[in-house]
Amino acid sequence: MPFRRRQPCLGGGFPPPFAKRAGMTTTAAPASALLERLQAFMDSDVYPNERVYHEQLASAPTPWMQPPIMDELQAKARALGLWNLFLPEPEWGAGLTNREYAPLCEVMGRSEIAPEVFNCSAPDTGNMEVFARYGSDAHKERWLKALLNAEIRSGFSMTEPAVASSDATNISAEIVRDGGEYVINGRKWWTSGAGHPRCKVLIFMGRSNPNAPPHQQHTMAVVPIDAPGVKVLRTLSVFGYDHAPHGHAEILFENVRIPAEDILVGEGRGFEIAQGRLGPGRIHHCMRAIGLAERALESMVKRVRERTAFGKPLAEQGVIMQWIAECRIEIDSTRLLVYHAAEQLDAHGNKVARNELAMVKVAAANMACRVVDRAIQAFGARGVSPDENLAAMYAHARTLRLVDGPDEVHMRSIAKNELAKAKR
Ligand SMILES: Cc1cc2nc3c(=O)[nH]c(=O)nc-3n(C[C@H](O)[C@H](O)[C@H](O)COP(=O)(O)OP(=O)(O)OC[C@H]3O[C@@H](n4cnc5c(N)ncnc54)[C@H](O)[C@@H]3O)c2cc1C
């Protein structure tokens, strides 16, 4: 069913992007042209095939397979130049700034399947950024190129069941040097994407230097998923959704040996890479959350105009009007916050923009939860049924309050920053 769309704001209600004011190269015209092409492709090919994607998964012998429609859509999107739009490095991707990418990413967030259609889905996007920025030439040749071509998928293995992983200094899987190799031992869970039959490589974070200062103890390693000793134990569902074919895997690493060259950058540099990876990754989640919320609101508005209770359309009941207004205010203000954070990220990098990134991470996830929750309520029982996508949207929005650091951790940083300002 085609959806009416609201035009995401390329110019924003804000002053011109910081990147421009700071004299950075931007590609505003191509970004707006890309946005138009992207929206047209969403209408012509993505929305109409969402159902086909799910039907193919449901009728396959196993849901852990690539539905053929995804390969078809990817080939079409790629031929139209709608491919790897997230990568700011022009040699690898579209060369857009984060601010330019934001409206495009929002549009992709409107559909569960869209980010993958354009090869812009997590966790591959973050992993590609890691390979592009921190990988060796051999990593780029073997893994980055295959990911850029969507020939393979990847996972990011950081979280561990045994420790509170929102404090990444707790991560305790071992990476130990042994001659020209490293030996890896540990148990990870929630490695998204690792259930996919095409997942071939994991970026693994473990402790290599237990005696170093806390933020220099950890190292990231590149581990082929078929390396001896890597065992995918199970995939974890989210509120009952298996998220096949990608899934979220619990993985045991038992005496896994990798060549010393497969350590990223060097021992003890894990936090540095994690910060580099999580900045853009977090903001992409936020951009997509806005698209998700827009679509939930559109469904809600359509429904309440069509349904009557107690003598008048639901759309004319005061409380429903209030919900609609609250949704609009929250979506639009979150979008402005996200654009602002993207501008800060473009102009000053991850470190300087960390407060803005923390704010949007909390704001966007919570906004999406509230908007979808109101939409569910306005739909009545249908809202939680499989006949609407709202339950799946809610499950996704709710996990955004946990992934890439739970709300409380980000709020802690925002508060610390505010307190430090007062002290200064
Ligand atoms: C769908 C999904 C996909 C995921 N994908 C990945 C992935 O691909 N790779 C990966 O490595 N991980 C992934 N994760 C894991 C996710 O990043 C972690 O769950 C998250 O970082 C929190 O870690 P934890 O679960 O160990 O919670 P814990 O660290 O045990 O924290 C539990 C709770 O304690 C509270 N808390 C923690 N710190 C503070 C504080 N300072 N102040 C107040 N309260 C606090 C918070 O409420 C927090 O939710 C995924 C998770 C989900 C649900």
Side-chain angles (χ1 to χ4, degrees), residues 19-78:
K20 274 188 197 151
R21 286 193 274 143
M24 287 172 62
T25 317
T26 63
T27 49
S32 57
L34 279 172
L35 179 61
E36 251 173 56
R37 294 213 311 265
L38 182 77
Q39 287 179 317
F41 190 74
M42 292 285 294
D43 287 341
S44 63
D45 288 80
V46 177
Y47 301 131
N49 280 306
E50 288 174 331
R51 184 167 298 169
V52 176
Y53 178 90
H54 288 293
E55 281 168 2
Q56 288 184 352
L57 270 184
S59 61
T62 160
W64 304 99
M65 54 149 278
Q66 175 86 323
I69 187 68
M70 181 53 74
D71 288 334
E72 288 166 34
L73 291 172
Q74 285 189 332
K76 279 190 181 179
R78 193 171 183 175

Side-chain angles (χ1 to χ4, degrees), residues 156-159 163-166 190-192 238 248 399 402-406 408-409 412:
F156 183 70
S157 292
M158 185 161 117
T159 304
V163 296
S165 303
S166 48
W190 295 105
T191 298
S192 299
V238 174
H248 313 280
T399 63
L402 296 166
V403 298
D404 290 349
E408 294 72 21
V409 171
R412 182 172 174 262

Side-chain angles (χ1 to χ4, degrees), residues 295-311:
R295 193 156 176 193
L297 176 58
E298 281 170 18
S299 306
M300 172 180 166
V301 165
K302 185 168 181 289
R303 171 78 168 184
V304 298
R305 291 178 71 224
E306 288 165 354
R307 226 158 149 85
T308 298
F310 299 98

Side-chain angles (χ1 to χ4, degrees), residues 63-312:
W64 304 99
M65 54 149 278
Q66 175 86 323
I69 187 68
M70 181 53 74
D71 288 334
E72 288 166 34
L73 291 172
Q74 285 189 332
K76 279 190 181 179
R78 193 171 183 175
L80 290 169
L82 299 170
W83 196 247
N84 294 331
L85 301 170
F86 66 99
L87 267 173
E89 289 86 356
E91 70 269 38
W92 303 116
L96 302 176
T97 63
N98 284 291
R99 173 63 184 83
E100 288 169 333
Y101 179 54
L104 285 85
C105 191
E106 174 184 329
V107 171
M108 293 180 211
R110 295 171 53 88
S111 165
E112 222 181 324
I113 65 168
E116 190 178 349
V117 167
F118 305 105
N119 211 33
C120 291
S121 58
D124 293 325
T125 45
N127 292 340
M128 285 188 254
E129 292 189 22
V130 168
F131 284 126
R133 280 168 216 158
Y134 305 98
S136 64
D137 288 346
H139 293 142
K140 290 186 178 114
E141 195 54 40
R142 182 171 178 195
W143 303 118
L144 178 59
K145 283 190 177 167
L147 283 166
L148 288 168
N149 289 328
E151 289 157 10
I152 63 166
R153 306 299 309 257
S154 62
F156 183 70
S157 292
M158 185 161 117
T159 304
E160 297 176 4
V163 296
S165 303
S166 48
D167 174 1
T169 60
N170 285 333
I171 297 300
S172 49
E174 287 178 354
I175 302 186
V176 178
R177 179 100 194 204
D178 183 23
E181 294 181 321
Y182 281 89
V183 184
I184 292 178
N185 278 289
R187 183 184 287 252
K188 299 287 182 178
W189 71 344
W190 295 105
T191 298
S192 299
H196 200 288
R198 293 185 191 167
C199 180
K200 298 294 175 207
V201 65
L202 304 171
I203 295 180
F204 174 98
M205 182 151 157
R207 188 180 269 136
S208 54
N209 302 66
N211 300 319
H215 290 93
Q216 289 161 28
Q217 294 184 2
H218 294 83
T219 296
M220 284 206 192
V222 180
V223 183
I225 203 166
D226 58 2
V230 179
K231 291 186 194 115
V232 176
L233 301 176
R234 60 171 175 154
T235 51
L236 298 135
S237 61
V238 174
F239 290 124
Y241 292 97
D242 60 12
H243 290 169
H246 315 102
H248 313 280
E250 179 165 350
I251 308 178
L252 188 62
F253 297 78
E254 262 182 337
N255 295 317
V256 179
R257 289 185 166 267
I258 56 159
E261 305 79 71
D262 283 345
I263 291 300
L264 287 166
V265 197
E267 278 186 23
R269 309 278 295 273
F271 270 86
E272 183 187 326
I273 301 171
Q275 286 316 311
R277 182 186 190 280
L278 287 176
R282 278 184 187 138
I283 202 164
H284 295 169
H285 276 314
C286 301
M287 295 165 181
R288 285 188 292 263
I290 298 169
L292 176 145
E294 283 285 6
R295 193 156 176 193
L297 176 58
E298 281 170 18
S299 306
M300 172 180 166
V301 165
K302 185 168 181 289
R303 171 78 168 184
V304 298
R305 291 178 71 224
E306 288 165 354
R307 226 158 149 85
T308 298
F310 299 98
K312 58 181 175 180

Side-chain angles (χ1 to χ4, degrees), residues 320-367:
I320 304 255
M321 293 179 80
Q322 183 176 334
W323 293 346
I324 292 171
E326 282 169 348
C327 288
R328 173 52 58 219
I329 293 166
E330 291 175 17
I331 294 173
D332 283 7
S333 46
T334 306
R335 181 184 290 110
L336 287 177
L337 202 59
V338 168
Y339 284 0
H340 177 60
E343 287 163 2
Q344 292 292 316
L345 184 59
D346 290 333
H348 306 295
N350 268 329
K351 247 188 175 162
V352 174
R354 64 177 181 272
N355 205 43
E356 284 76 11
L357 291 169
M359 286 194 277
V360 292
K361 174 67 180 44
V362 176
N366 283 277
M367 175 279 292

